[in-house]
Amino acid sequence: MFLSIINYLTTNQELQALMHEAYNQSRALAEITHAFQTTVTLSEVADFGGQNDLATQLEINYNLAGVLTILTDWQKGNINANVTELTTSLAAIARHHWQ
């Protein structure tokens, strides 16, 4: 599945350009993502015993993208939860995933 997606993206230059443009248009999201990547990467790499390999970096970025999507949906009102409910649920998901 992932190979098909990557092959499609690498052969479709127009789609690549659109994705890059859309990402760059959201400067706030880019800044938030960078801040989270820096913070989460440092703490998660430490949790993995100092492993700083490609798989660890990809896993961190994968999870970060999911959390940012959830937060964006919550801010748009697409997720009906208060801050406590949201953070508790996200923490439960993280604990389940990382154990």
Side-chain angles (χ1 to χ4, degrees), residues 31-41 60 64 67-68 71:
E31 291 296 325
I32 291 169
T33 300
H34 177 71
F36 273 105
Q37 283 174 326
T38 303
T39 303
V40 172
T41 299
I60 290 166
L64 174 59
V67 170
L68 290 175
L71 293 175

Side-chain angles (χ1 to χ4, degrees), residues 44-57:
E44 295 299 336
V45 167
D47 288 347
F48 280 102
Q51 296 175 4
N52 194 8
D53 58 12
L54 177 60
T56 300
Q57 289 295 316

Side-chain angles (χ1 to χ4, degrees), residues 8-72:
Y8 182 76
L9 290 175
T10 57
T11 59
N12 190 329
Q13 298 297 319
E14 184 177 322
L15 181 58
Q16 279 184 17
L18 286 173
M19 289 174 62
H20 186 70
E21 181 181 331
Y23 181 80
N24 285 336
Q25 286 179 354
S26 177
R27 190 70 184 139
L29 183 57
E31 291 296 325
I32 291 169
T33 300
H34 177 71
F36 273 105
Q37 283 174 326
T38 303
T39 303
V40 172
T41 299
L42 293 175
S43 65
E44 295 299 336
V45 167
D47 288 347
F48 280 102
Q51 296 175 4
N52 194 8
D53 58 12
L54 177 60
T56 300
Q57 289 295 316
L58 293 177
E59 188 168 5
I60 290 166
N61 288 345
Y62 182 84
N63 289 300
L64 174 59
V67 170
L68 290 175
T69 299
I70 289 168
L71 293 175
T72 300

